[in-house]
Amino acid sequence: MNEQPAPTDGGHATRPVPDAATGLDRDDHQDDVAPPHRNAPQPDPTCLYGLIGDVARAGSEGTETNAHAIAANFMAYLSCAVGRGVYLPIGNTWHHARLFCLHIGRSGRGRKGDAVSLVLRIDAALRAIDDAFAPQVHRGGLSTREGLAALIHDGYRQGRLDVPAMEDKRLWVVESEFANVLHQGRRDGNTLSAALRDCWDGVDLKPATKSNRLYASDPHVCLSGAISPGELTGLMSARELTNGFANRFLMIWAERSRMLPFPKETPQALVEHLARRTLEVLIFVSADRHDDREHLRMELSPQAQWRYAQFYRGELHDGMDDGAIGALLERRAPMLLRLAMLMALTDLQTRIDVPHIDAAMAWIRHATASVRFVFVSAAEEAKLVQVLELSNRVLAFLRERGQATRSQISTECFKGKVPKARIDASLEQLLASTPPKINVQTVERPVDSPGTPTRVYRPT
């Protein structure tokens, strides 16, 4: 009897059958084919915590503006406004709630200008109530280290005139065209990116040349930037990807959530209400005491410490590689702590609890997804997912077995159905983790058994 042809779906080829050993599709071309389309990153609603969420919803209600883009700009503003008086000691490092946020979205769809407009209105309303609590806002664009230092300088002599020092070192920089900063960094001798790195760290800005005598001690600079994905990937040099400049930014993908030809204006009464709530936070931290440093200590509750430790040992360091993506995600742990500080302060408390850690982690996850969406192609992302999946299977196998050779991993763990290159990639990923999840030992063969030494892999 003649064999019947395999069933098809509407004349199209049937979907490949998943392989039982790997969970991947069995297909002659599966090594070369990656999903051609990806969903844009979607943040968790947990991001919109407390006052931050209320500001975001107020600005997005009846408008096209993305609520999470508004929230990111408000967090950068609030992190600046609270100043250096609030600190969180972790080891020998004292963290301040300083944030650099970068809003990524396509031109015309990101609504990047609208995402910062409500925050500027809240700032204006806050100044009308009490100007001492509002930070300095700079919207003119940064070009040099010296220009940045001049905004928060320690005083200098101009001819015969002594210019007094700036007492308030809080500065919120709004770079609606962040591409300008990246362009400046490409100029020979320009040290703006190095100065911004120092500002994120809270390090004094010292003169880059002997001819310039502008100092700025104890800077508290926060930044809200906006850029299109094409500009970001086109202008971000390999040096900026790996020297720690880029990974100091909380990068989030955000575009308009709806299309409204006639968006509504946020009522002024609501803006003033949000400004008063912002003022409550600033009064709580004594943000008007401009000359006081580290006068309000924050701490993590025991439950929050446990929660953070779980993330630190797991998600914050899992899935990172030694390439550009790993470099971009390197500072997720301190960034999470700074975000959690902000969440707690909006509750008018100096103790960081589990909900604050969870809300901060939601932002870290969205930033991680955004970085991968912008900087990793669909093909590269598919390969990374496969490597991580196989790595987890290898690690579970080694923990159960105790040790194994690569040949045993291939035959026993994957039933001989996974290519050598993929197994090697998964082993390399486990060995390169920080700290390593496995180790490898070379075992010499017996004298009467010729051949190359055997490599044995064990879980750490």
Side-chain angles (χ1 to χ4, degrees):
M1 184 170 62
N2 294 333
E3 289 186 8
Q4 295 298 317
T8 60
D9 181 12
H12 299 287
T14 55
R15 189 183 186 277
V17 179
D19 187 291
T22 65
L24 304 175
D25 290 340
R26 281 204 304 263
D27 182 33
D28 291 341
H29 305 288
Q30 72 173 20
D31 289 343
D32 303 319
V33 178
H37 306 118
R38 295 178 294 169
N39 291 319
Q42 296 298 322
D44 191 288
T46 309
C47 291
L48 302 184
Y49 183 89
L51 173 61
I52 294 164
D54 291 342
V55 170
R57 284 182 286 269
S60 62
E61 179 70 26
T63 74
E64 294 184 334
T65 314
N66 188 294
H68 291 82
I70 298 171
N73 283 309
F74 181 69
M75 288 192 302
Y77 174 80
L78 186 62
S79 71
C80 178
V82 298
R84 289 184 71 125
V86 186
Y87 72 100
L88 173 67
I90 301 292
N92 293 318
T93 301
W94 287 10
H95 291 273
H96 304 100
R98 250 188 319 273
L99 292 178
F100 287 2
C101 293
L102 185 59
H103 174 191
I104 309 169
R106 290 168 291 183
S107 297
R109 303 183 191 185
R111 291 294 183 263
K112 297 184 282 287
D114 295 340
V116 78
S117 59
L118 176 60
V119 183
L120 292 169
R121 289 183 64 190
I122 292 174
D123 172 74
L126 177 63
R127 293 179 189 280
I129 301 171
D130 194 330
D131 188 65
F133 287 93
Q136 183 185 174
V137 178
H138 178 71
R139 301 183 65 190
L142 298 174
S143 56
T144 63
R145 182 190 193 95
E146 293 72 29
L148 176 59
L151 295 170
I152 47 173
H153 64 80
D154 285 353
Y156 59 94
R157 189 172 183 83
Q158 190 173 32
R160 297 183 178 181
L161 179 66
D162 288 324
V163 179
M166 304 280 292
E167 293 184 4
D168 188 356
K169 298 302 179 71
R170 298 174 302 159
L171 174 66
W172 181 42
V173 177
V174 180
E175 279 285 357
S176 56
E177 296 295 337
F178 189 73
N180 169 66
V181 173
L182 299 180
H183 276 298
Q184 298 297 338
R186 291 188 162 196
R187 293 170 51 195
D188 290 339
N190 189 287
T191 56
L192 177 60
S193 64
L196 288 172
R197 294 202 307 267
D198 289 342
C199 285
W200 193 89
D201 295 337
V203 176
D204 296 351
L205 292 182
K206 298 178 181 179
T209 62
K210 292 182 179 180
S211 61
N212 188 290
R213 308 309 301 167
L214 276 178
Y215 284 83
S217 60
D218 299 318
H220 190 76
V221 177
C222 302
L223 191 148
S224 287
I227 195 168
S228 70
E231 289 175 323
L232 181 60
T233 56
L235 292 173
M236 188 77 75
S237 67
R239 181 183 63 182
E240 288 160 336
L241 287 172
T242 57
N243 69 0
F245 174 71
N247 62 30
R248 284 171 167 82
F249 287 83
L250 182 75
M251 299 186 186
I252 66 155
W253 176 273
E255 294 192 333
R256 65 187 177 196
S257 53
R258 61 180 69 87
M259 296 185 68
L260 295 172
F262 302 105
K264 297 179 181 178
E265 179 184 9
T266 306
Q268 182 62 25
L270 180 53
V271 173
E272 292 172 358
H273 171 71
L274 294 170
R276 287 191 293 270
R277 289 182 60 189
T278 302
L279 180 59
E280 289 178 4
V281 176
L282 302 182
I283 291 174
F284 174 73
V285 301
S286 301
D288 58 334
R289 292 164 56 179
H290 303 147
D291 55 345
D292 284 355
R293 308 282 185 265
E294 289 89 27
H295 62 79
L296 188 62
R297 180 188 179 110
M298 298 191 73
E299 61 181 11
L300 282 83
S301 69
Q303 296 84 357
Q305 290 182 34
W306 182 88
R307 188 75 159 163
Y308 174 72
Q310 295 299 108
F311 289 137
Y312 188 85
R313 294 191 181 102
E315 193 173 340
L316 288 173
H317 292 97
D318 282 347
M320 288 177 57
D321 57 28
D322 294 328
I325 300 304
L328 282 168
L329 300 176
E330 227 171 32
R331 281 186 168 80
R332 289 185 295 180
M335 203 174 289
L336 186 151
L337 292 173
R338 295 184 181 200
L339 288 163
M341 290 175 70
L342 269 188
M343 305 299 173
L345 291 176
T346 61
D347 285 340
L348 305 182
Q349 64 182 61
T350 56
R351 185 185 67 178
I352 298 171
D353 287 324
V354 171
H356 308 133
I357 295 290
D358 287 344
M361 190 63 200
W363 279 105
I364 295 299
R365 286 174 179 145
H366 182 47
T368 301
S370 298
V371 165
R372 288 184 173 142
F373 184 72
V374 172
F375 287 93
V376 182
S377 69
E380 291 169 331
E381 186 174 40
K383 289 180 181 178
L384 177 61
V385 169
Q386 288 180 340
V387 168
L388 293 177
E389 181 181 342
L390 296 180
S391 297
N392 290 334
R393 291 178 67 89
V394 169
L395 185 59
F397 172 75
L398 291 176
R399 284 174 174 167
E400 181 179 351
R401 200 181 192 280
Q403 67 178 41
T405 64
R406 199 188 64 74
S407 177
Q408 290 168 331
I409 293 171
S410 176
T411 57
E412 297 179 30
C413 182
F414 297 117
K415 312 303 180 187
K417 296 180 179 179
V418 175
K420 176 182 179 296
R422 287 189 182 179
I423 296 176
D424 288 342
S426 66
L427 291 170
E428 186 64 34
Q429 199 276 333
L430 292 169
L431 287 165
S433 297
T434 308
K437 294 182 179 179
I438 65 172
N439 58 52
V440 59
Q441 182 179 359
T442 301
V443 179
E444 297 291 339
R445 289 179 177 270
V447 177
D448 58 350
S449 179
T452 58
T454 302
R455 287 174 169 258
V456 177
Y457 300 86
R458 299 185 178 93
T460 55

